[in-house]
Amino acid sequence: MMTRVKFRGQLSRVRGSLLLAILLLAATGCGVNNVVIQGNFPTPNVNQLPLTVAVYYDDALRDFSYIEYSETGQEEYNIASGVSHIQLFNAILPAMFSEVVVVNSLEEAQSRNVDAVFAPAIEEFQLALPAKTKLDVFEVWIKYNMRLLSAEGGYIADWVLTSYGKTPTETFRSAEAAINDAAVVALRDLASSFSLSFAQVPEVRDWLNGRGIRS
Amino acid sequence: MKSNNNRLDRKGLCLGALLAALASCTSTTVDEFRQGETGIESHESVVILGRRQASDYETRSEFVECVGERMTRGENAVSVIPEQEFIDAMFPWFEPRTAPLRTRDLEQLMAEDVVANKMNEFNIRYIVWVDGQTETTDRAGSISCTIGPGGGGCFGFGTWEDDANFDARVWDVGSLTNVGTINTDASGQSYLPALVVPIPLIARVEANACSRLASQLKEFVVGGS
């Protein structure tokens, strides 16, 4: 008799846990999925320019996140990529320029005796999910505005760069992991096009020529 | 007791053989087109890279890894540089947007000292570009699963066909020419009968394509004119 009572007690506890698990599952199914982009970015093999460059990451870039909405207008994914963008630029800029200093404001650059100030900005971020495109790939597209200023804040160059990354759908991979992978491919694409095309931007090329630097 | 065990063993063996026979319904065709002489020294290496330029698919890195891993095994094994290690070391020259599409592009790329030096560091003799995918078609049947307080189970039958098609183009880094192309086409039917428990009888299409492509590639880069 005692055994039966004990067993019933255990059964009701198991039912309670199951109910709680189902409720939690339902609750998480309704909320936004947070994705913080994480990846490793290699140092590019490019010819280094003999320049001291200050880099300024504004708050919009540092805290950049993109929200993808579902077809019913609900927040579906919140993709935070500010930190990974900073990691990426910190990996590629020292390979491109002989000296790089990170400054907290454009005014600070004036006192650091630098040749130029680089200030990147994200203008647009787009995500394409297989459920919407009916393709078996997750895609990320990012548009940047790259600005190169003199130490005093004057204009040197201002150009637009786009980057693209995709990753195929896989059976045992979550959508969050696939979004992360596609974003990392897009960031690597940014790094490759930025490091290879920097000296080919007409205004940058003219400025380099003016300083006697042949790219 | 002993004869009972023997009978059980025999039943198990028969079931295993039946499952293996059903699961191995895969046909593979390999075509080789040679355009130049090949050969590789013991200190030289091969790198196998997946093409990722197509808009609607990309060559899976797992397949590329599988081909590379199989080329390093058995008779006439060759040294293969892992794809990601090579791409990272060569960054940013072998990214989807910047990778050379023709041997003429490779020639231009090798004019860059940083690229030529890295290529020499790895002792790369051949670059193999693998391009392709595995597509699933002809899905049919349905399986329904139920779960209740007394237990659960699945009933039904599902079937589908997988078709793997991969091209491997071999570039000679020494002569900066395309020395040949190997095409592998594998297809197979998979079955999923479910009688309480689903029993997957999966055709190992991509694994067979990988194995056959790796063997052919190994022979190709090692073997004479």
Side-chain angles (χ1 to χ4, degrees), chain A residues 175-211:
Chain A
E176 288 84 350
I179 291 167
N180 185 74
D181 291 353
V184 169
V185 176
L187 288 173
R188 286 179 70 118
D189 186 42
L190 160 73
S192 68
S193 55
F194 176 72
S195 59
L196 294 176
S197 69
F198 176 78
Q200 310 306 320
V201 175
E203 291 95 330
V204 175
R205 192 176 51 214
D206 293 347
W207 178 72
L208 290 173
N209 287 342
R211 299 180 72 89

Side-chain angles (χ1 to χ4, degrees), chain A residues 42-47 92 135 137 139 162-164 166-168 170 185 188-189 191-193 195-196, chain B residues 52-58 60 62 84 87-93 95-98 112 114-115 118:
Chain A
T43 307
N45 295 291
V46 289
N47 295 320
I92 61 172
L135 293 173
V137 286
E139 296 168 286
T162 56
S163 72
Y164 171 78
K166 72 175 193 304
T167 191
E170 279 177 25
V185 176
R188 286 179 70 118
D189 186 42
S192 68
S193 55
S195 59
L196 294 176
Chain B
R52 298 193 174 96
Q53 275 82 13
S55 60
D56 56 343
Y57 75 92
E58 62 176 51
R60 288 173 64 238
E62 288 82 1
Q84 200 55 50
I87 292 175
D88 282 352
M90 285 288 182
F91 189 74
W93 303 97
E95 295 300 300
R97 204 199 293 222
T98 55
E112 296 282 341
V114 282
V115 176
K118 282 278 175 197

Side-chain angles (χ1 to χ4, degrees), chain B residues 149-171:
Chain B
C154 296
F155 293 92
F157 180 78
T159 180
W160 64 92
E161 190 179 328
D162 284 321
D163 185 16
N165 195 307
F166 291 91
D167 268 335
R169 286 173 196 278
V170 186
W171 289 3

Side-chain angles (χ1 to χ4, degrees), chain B residues 35-49:
Chain B
Q35 289 167 279
E37 287 183 12
T38 52
I40 190 163
E41 301 290 327
S42 59
H43 67 279
E44 292 174 325
S45 303
V46 172
V47 64
I48 302 165
L49 304 170

Side-chain angles (χ1 to χ4, degrees), chain A residues 23-174:
Chain A
L23 276 173
L24 278 173
L25 205 68
T28 50
C30 297
V32 63
N33 299 294
N34 292 304
V35 184
V36 179
I37 304 303
Q38 288 175 319
N40 293 316
F41 308 107
T43 307
N45 295 291
V46 289
N47 295 320
Q48 202 174 53
L49 296 168
L51 292 169
T52 301
V53 173
V55 55
Y56 172 61
Y57 305 119
D58 63 12
D59 288 343
L61 183 93
R62 285 180 186 276
D63 305 327
F64 184 83
S65 70
Y66 166 81
I67 295 173
E68 173 75 9
Y69 292 90
S70 69
E71 277 161 4
T72 55
Q74 302 284 315
E75 289 186 358
E76 199 173 10
Y77 293 103
N78 179 13
I79 304 161
S81 67
V83 173
S84 52
H85 272 97
I86 291 169
Q87 284 171 351
L88 176 82
F89 283 118
N90 287 345
I92 61 172
L93 294 174
M96 293 174 63
F97 308 112
S98 55
E99 204 177 334
V100 177
V101 287
V102 179
V103 292
N104 294 317
S105 67
L106 290 172
E107 292 72 35
E108 190 190 332
Q110 285 186 24
S111 59
R112 301 295 288 266
N113 195 27
V114 295
D115 297 310
V117 184
F118 172 61
I122 300 170
E123 283 203 340
E124 218 177 317
F125 190 106
Q126 284 182 15
L127 175 72
L129 300 168
K132 291 174 185 170
T133 60
K134 309 295 175 206
L135 293 173
D136 290 335
V137 286
F138 287 83
E139 296 168 286
V140 167
W141 182 83
I142 313 169
K143 184 179 173 187
Y144 300 89
N145 179 220
M146 303 302 191
R147 287 166 296 160
L148 194 68
L149 311 165
S150 68
E152 294 74 34
Y155 168 90
I156 296 175
D158 188 327
W159 70 104
V160 170
L161 259 186
T162 56
S163 72
Y164 171 78
K166 72 175 193 304
T167 191
T169 52
E170 279 177 25
T171 313
F172 296 109
R173 182 166 58 173
S174 66

Side-chain angles (χ1 to χ4, degrees), chain B residues 26-179:
Chain B
T26 304
S27 67
T28 312
T29 313
V30 180
D31 287 323
E32 180 185 301
F33 175 54
R34 181 180 283 276
Q35 289 167 279
E37 287 183 12
T38 52
I40 190 163
E41 301 290 327
S42 59
H43 67 279
E44 292 174 325
S45 303
V46 172
V47 64
I48 302 165
L49 304 170
R51 278 279 182 217
R52 298 193 174 96
Q53 275 82 13
S55 60
D56 56 343
Y57 75 92
E58 62 176 51
T59 312
R60 288 173 64 238
S61 55
E62 288 82 1
F63 183 81
V64 173
E65 200 179 307
C66 169
V67 175
E69 201 262 323
R70 281 176 184 267
M71 283 181 75
T72 59
R73 283 198 265 155
E75 207 182 333
N76 291 329
V78 292
S79 163
V80 176
I81 306 293
E83 182 186 34
Q84 200 55 50
E85 183 186 331
F86 177 83
I87 292 175
D88 282 352
M90 285 288 182
F91 189 74
W93 303 97
F94 280 81
E95 295 300 300
R97 204 199 293 222
T98 55
L101 294 172
R102 295 157 297 182
T103 48
R104 211 181 318 143
D105 301 332
L106 180 67
E107 201 175 333
Q108 283 177 359
L109 207 56
M110 291 296 279
E112 296 282 341
D113 288 343
V114 282
V115 176
N117 291 341
K118 282 278 175 197
M119 211 68 99
N120 286 338
E121 266 178 44
F122 280 119
N123 279 318
I124 303 288
R125 178 63 200 271
Y126 296 105
I127 295 175
V128 179
W129 287 103
V130 176
D131 189 5
Q133 64 173 330
T134 302
E135 281 185 290
T136 301
T137 53
D138 298 336
R139 283 180 194 272
S142 72
I143 294 172
S144 59
C145 296
T146 51
I147 188 159
C154 296
F155 293 92
F157 180 78
T159 180
W160 64 92
E161 190 179 328
D162 284 321
D163 185 16
N165 195 307
F166 291 91
D167 268 335
R169 286 173 196 278
V170 186
W171 289 3
D172 187 336
V173 176
S175 62
L176 300 171
T177 55
N178 186 7
V179 287

